Amino acid sequence: MESRQQMTEREVSGQAAEEVGEQAMGPAFMAAAASVGLSWYYFFVRGDRERGIFVGLWPPTILAFASYFNQRKMRQKIDSMTQPGTTLKNAIDSMMGNK
């Protein structure tokens, strides 16, 4: 069975991960959606199929970069929580920005 401290740590880290995910994916999602729209414009409206396909390859790349940076932020949060000598109170305070 998990102790209360382990359960609280898991809940706090889950909330922090959701907050980081929301921050990182907003602009990336908008850029990817704009890229899809631009791709359709070039492909169907302008008739420039090669450019439309080229621009259509951008969204997966944009989302991959956003995912990488999102994972990096989450890893930094986890590392700061699990440093030796860090108490649960200090970890929560640092995550909430109280320090």
Side-chain angles (χ1 to χ4, degrees):
M1 281 198 178
E2 288 182 318
S3 68
R4 283 184 183 232
Q5 181 179 4
Q6 289 172 333
M7 289 172 38
T8 305
E9 287 176 359
R10 187 164 33 113
E11 291 172 3
V12 169
S13 65
Q15 291 171 352
E18 289 175 9
E19 291 172 5
V20 170
E22 290 172 2
Q23 293 171 358
M25 294 305 282
F29 179 76
M30 294 300 290
S35 176
V36 168
L38 185 63
S39 171
W40 287 351
Y41 170 75
Y42 279 128
F43 194 86
F44 293 113
V45 176
R46 303 259 330 246
D48 190 356
R49 295 181 186 267
E50 287 182 17
R51 185 172 294 187
I53 292 171
F54 174 70
V55 173
L57 294 173
W58 294 354
T61 306
I62 293 168
L63 294 175
F65 276 120
S67 176
Y68 168 74
F69 288 119
N70 189 16
Q71 290 175 7
R72 213 169 124 195
K73 284 182 185 179
M74 285 191 291
R75 185 66 196 175
Q76 289 172 348
K77 291 273 188 189
I78 290 171
D79 288 343
S80 69
M81 281 181 46
T82 58
Q83 290 177 352
T86 303
T87 64
L88 180 60
K89 182 183 181 309
N90 291 342
I92 292 172
D93 285 342
S94 69
M95 283 179 35
M96 300 303 249
N98 295 339
K99 267 192 167 178

